[in-house]
Amino acid sequence: KYWYLFLIIGAVGYFAHLATSEQLDFDYRVVYFGASLNLSFAILGLMQKLITKPNSVVSYFSQGSYWIYIVHLPIVLLILTLLEDFEFGMGTRFSLVLTLATLFSLASYQLLVRHKPIGRFLGEKPN
């Protein structure tokens, strides 16, 4: 209900962390954690407000989330290893890894898990 307050608190905490973490002798991981937690609550609250009806895209990602969570890290590490010899800027590398890891994770879910025995093992409901 009050997602916007979490957004404000999270944004202020995050920018305070960025502005002061290098200048002060204080462990600002606590501030960063609090900002991240507030921003997470803000996103969850906003999505609850915006998505009020059943949605096939949201359902697809919800059903595939556990598999994607399991496989994303090895995929990210593989992509980073393959891109090791290329000279990319940090933003380009991040965007490329994010896009490729998402595509490969979703493709592996669709081809290996969805409506397959492993999907039922991971909790997929039968049609």
Side-chain angles (χ1 to χ4, degrees), residues 68-89:
I68 293 168
Y69 172 72
I70 291 171
V71 302
H72 87 279
L73 190 56
I75 292 172
V76 167
L77 293 175
L78 175 66
I79 294 168
L80 284 172
T81 302
L82 294 173
L83 294 178
E84 194 171 43
D85 295 331
F86 295 95
E87 295 294 324
F88 293 120

Side-chain angles (χ1 to χ4, degrees), residues 58-75 105-106 108-109 113-114 118-124:
V58 173
S59 294
Y60 182 83
F61 279 100
S62 174
Q63 292 166 6
S65 64
Y66 189 54
W67 175 259
I68 293 168
Y69 172 72
I70 291 171
V71 302
H72 87 279
L73 190 56
I75 292 172
S105 296
L106 288 172
S108 71
Y109 171 69
V113 178
R114 189 165 170 86
I118 193 169
R120 288 187 286 282
F121 176 73
L122 292 175
E124 181 180 83

